[in-house]
């Protein structure tokens, strides 16, 4: 079989997932439309459709926001309700972008869109500055471990392109963000409507010498965001492959996606929860045999020994085992219309493992405006952010979310309705 060797840059260098978030009418959808329009990523029939729709609505300009506002209710109200995903590319990078809703009642939709993002664009209206939704969204971005934040101060044309306005908002945001775990914060003054500093530099703001929005998206370094340390290898098993064909009568492979570290044939690994020690024999990607595999790759392992392993088990590097526990502290965002009910039965889904869970109590809720915990209020309703104490029926193997977003995240599911009720991060 053909063997492949990993390149030095990994697989994430040519693809960036990002999300635009902000308060209502800050211009999120317009920014995405402008990015697509100025990078020539719009088909002619799409452009004709939004031109006709803009004319029917009586808009003075072509309303580029209509490119992402796909639901009928969104088009009629001029707001974003669902998360709209779009794809575009430049010679330097490919992008998957999500336009998230700004209304407070759709915070759960924003959490869904942000869960896989590597960068968040937080829009701020230059006229109003930082508002409560800015604080809420920034807190969720911090909670979800998004490492890169681009603060786009929009509608600079409506404040005369004043540098003082940009500097004031920048100072206020940095002061507010000191209490959050945001590692890389950048600021760009823009006018999404006119295209200033979105794709091309603005002639109206010669005082700004930094990157445009697109320039930042093309240049931000995200390859180091994944944990590539060999010792932190994490491979949740999704399925066991046993073709039992004449060509492969004894083949037994373990398929899944690598959620941390790197693996090579010959590595000593441990099967959890049994604790069985073995080593990797071969690694396959479809019919190609690999010499190395790393995070986000979907592969199949064969092992040197005949072991008892199945879906829900995890293969880990022998040198660094994850934490194993039934008692967990979770930071959660509540997603369901029904509030948390401590007597109701929930399921916890973690990597490829599922187990019943008992919610033992609410440690605190989070006041996102003040970025502080609030005790004494134990009612957790839709869009609330809270810390829960839970106990799982079976042990789970995890890393803190700050170390590994894949093995440190869970969802809670209502056992009776099968609705996802919360997204959680293990601390």
């Amino acid at each position: 079989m053909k063997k492949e060797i990993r390149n030095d840059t990994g697989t994430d260098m040519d693809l960036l997932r990002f999300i635009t978030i902000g308060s209502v009418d800050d211009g999120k959808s317009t920014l995405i439309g402008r990015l697509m329009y100025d990078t020539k990523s719009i088909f002619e029939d799409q452009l004709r459709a939004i031109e006709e729709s803009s004319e029917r609505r009586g808009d003075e300009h072509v309303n580029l926001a209509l490119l992402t506002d796909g639901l009928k209710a969104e088009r009629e109200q001029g707001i974003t309700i669902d998360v709209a995903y779009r794809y575009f590319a430049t010679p330097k990078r490919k992008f998957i972008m999500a336009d998230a809703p700004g209304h407070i009642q759709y915070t759960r939709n924003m959490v869904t869109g942000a869960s896989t993002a590597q960068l968040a664009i937080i829009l701020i209206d230059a006229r109003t500055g930082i508002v409560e939704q800015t604080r809420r969204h920034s807190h969720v971005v911090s909670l979800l471990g998004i490492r890169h934040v681009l603060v786009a101060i929009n509608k600079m044309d409506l404040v005369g392109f004043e540098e003082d306005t940009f500097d004031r908002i920048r100072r206020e945001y940095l002061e507010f963000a000191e209490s959050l775990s945001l590692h890389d914060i950048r600021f760009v003054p823009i006018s999404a409507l006119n295209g200033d500093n979105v794709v091309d530099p603005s002639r109206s703001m010669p005082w700004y010498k930094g990157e445009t929005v697109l320039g930042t998206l093309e240049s931000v370094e995200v390859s180091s965001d994944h944990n590539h340390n060999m010792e932190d290898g994490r491979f949740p098993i999704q399925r066991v492959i046993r073709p039992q064909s004449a060509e492969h009568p004894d083949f037994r492979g373990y398929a899944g996606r690598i959620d941390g570290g790197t693996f090579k044939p010959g590595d000593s690994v441990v099967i959890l929860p049994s604790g069985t020690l073995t080593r990797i024999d071969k690694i396959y990607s479809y019919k190609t045999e690999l010499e190395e595999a790393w995070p986000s790759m979907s592969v199949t392992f064969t092992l040197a020994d005949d072991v008892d392993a199945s879906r829900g088990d995890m293969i880990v590097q022998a040198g660094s085992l994850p934490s194993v526990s039934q008692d967990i502290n979770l930071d959660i965002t509540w997603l369901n219309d029904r509030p948390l009910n401590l007597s109701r039965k929930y399921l916890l889904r973690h990597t490829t493992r599922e187990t019943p869970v008992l919610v033992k109590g609410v440690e605190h809720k989070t006041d996102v405006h003040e970025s502080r915990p609030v005790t004494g209020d134990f009612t957790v309703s839709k869009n609330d952010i809270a810390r829960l104490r839970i106990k799982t029926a079976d042990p789970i193997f995890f890393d803190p979310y700050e170390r590994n977003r894949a093995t440190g995240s869970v969802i809670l599911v209502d056992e009776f309705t099968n609705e996802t009720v919360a997204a959680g991060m293990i601390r």
Side-chain angles (χ1 to χ4, degrees), residues 1-186:
M1 288 187 175
K2 177 185 175 183
K3 289 192 175 184
E4 289 187 355
I5 300 176
R6 172 186 174 182
N7 61 43
D8 292 334
T9 59
T11 58
D12 293 315
M13 287 296 294
D14 63 346
L15 174 65
L16 178 73
R17 296 175 181 269
F18 70 93
I19 185 169
T20 57
I21 48 183
S23 187
V24 178
D25 295 330
D26 278 348
K28 303 176 301 299
S29 299
T30 301
L31 173 61
I32 286 183
R34 174 60 63 183
L35 277 169
M36 295 178 66
Y37 182 81
D38 285 359
T39 56
K40 298 178 173 57
S41 301
I42 303 175
F43 293 115
E44 289 186 7
D45 58 339
Q46 289 179 304
L47 183 57
R48 282 198 302 270
I50 64 171
E51 286 174 342
E52 293 171 0
S53 183
S54 299
E55 186 176 347
R56 287 195 303 271
R57 289 161 52 99
D59 296 328
E60 294 182 6
H61 307 279
V62 175
N63 191 342
L64 296 175
L66 298 179
L67 281 168
T68 54
D69 291 344
L71 298 181
K72 182 179 179 181
E74 294 176 353
R75 290 181 180 272
E76 291 175 350
Q77 299 176 48
I79 64 171
T80 301
I81 296 174
D82 203 0
V83 179
Y85 293 93
R86 292 295 184 272
Y87 165 89
F88 75 103
T90 69
K92 295 183 179 180
R93 192 172 244 169
K94 300 175 184 176
F95 302 95
I96 296 175
M97 54 187 174
D99 178 22
H103 278 71
I104 187 171
Q105 64 264 38
Y106 301 120
T107 299
R108 59 180 180 173
N109 303 58
M110 190 273 282
V111 170
T112 302
S115 62
T116 59
Q118 298 158 299
L119 177 144
I121 298 179
I122 297 178
L123 274 87
I124 296 176
D125 189 324
R127 299 170 301 174
T128 57
I130 297 170
V131 297
E132 182 176 350
Q133 277 295 75
T134 309
R135 298 175 185 272
R136 172 179 288 271
H137 292 151
S138 299
H139 193 95
V140 172
V141 165
S142 172
L143 190 70
L144 291 172
I146 299 176
R147 295 176 180 270
H148 309 281
V149 175
L150 193 165
V151 180
I153 300 175
N154 192 23
K155 304 188 180 181
M156 289 295 295
D157 52 311
L158 300 183
V159 295
F161 299 104
E162 295 175 350
E163 184 178 6
D164 288 346
T165 301
F166 172 75
D167 288 339
R168 173 179 55 80
I169 295 174
R170 181 179 181 276
R171 287 194 305 269
E172 290 176 358
Y173 189 90
L174 287 173
E175 181 180 351
F176 151 71
E178 286 181 358
S179 61
L180 303 178
S181 299
L182 300 177
H183 303 279
D184 175 22
I185 307 176
R186 311 175 189 208

Side-chain angles (χ1 to χ4, degrees), residues 206-256:
W207 45 264
Y208 175 72
K209 306 300 182 183
E211 293 270 21
T212 63
V213 171
L214 181 63
T216 302
L217 295 176
E218 288 181 327
S219 62
V220 64
E221 175 63 53
V222 296
S223 62
S224 61
D225 292 354
H226 277 303
N227 186 344
H228 288 276
N229 293 332
M230 178 178 175
E231 295 79 9
D232 291 336
R234 305 288 185 258
F235 183 73
I237 298 173
Q238 292 184 5
R239 62 175 297 193
V240 179
I241 299 176
R242 295 201 65 192
Q244 296 180 323
S245 63
E247 184 181 359
H248 303 287
D250 301 315
F251 184 90
R252 182 190 296 267
Y254 302 91

Side-chain angles (χ1 to χ4, degrees), residues 226-228 232-238 256-263 294-297 314-315 350-352 399 403-409:
H226 277 303
N227 186 344
H228 288 276
D232 291 336
R234 305 288 185 258
F235 183 73
I237 298 173
Q238 292 184 5
R257 187 187 68 180
I258 296 175
D259 282 340
T262 58
F263 291 90
W294 57 93
S296 79
M297 291 182 66
M314 185 183 290
I315 299 175
H350 172 257
T351 62
T352 58
D399 302 284
R403 187 183 183 98
N404 189 315
R405 287 175 73 177
T407 62
S409 60

Side-chain angles (χ1 to χ4, degrees), residues 336-389:
N336 200 248
D337 291 326
R338 283 189 296 271
L340 169 67
N341 185 339
L342 297 183
S343 62
R344 197 170 180 86
K345 293 184 178 180
Y346 298 105
L347 295 173
L348 179 139
R349 291 178 180 166
H350 172 257
T351 62
T352 58
R353 196 171 184 81
E354 181 176 280
T355 179
V357 63
L358 173 67
V359 181
K360 298 175 66 176
V362 180
E363 289 285 331
H364 60 74
K365 292 167 63 173
T366 298
D367 182 333
V368 296
H369 185 72
E370 300 290 341
S371 295
R372 63 179 178 86
V374 177
T375 57
D377 180 4
F378 301 121
T379 302
V380 179
S381 303
K382 184 171 66 174
N383 297 317
D384 280 344
I385 297 171
R387 176 163 295 183
L388 307 182
R389 289 180 290 109

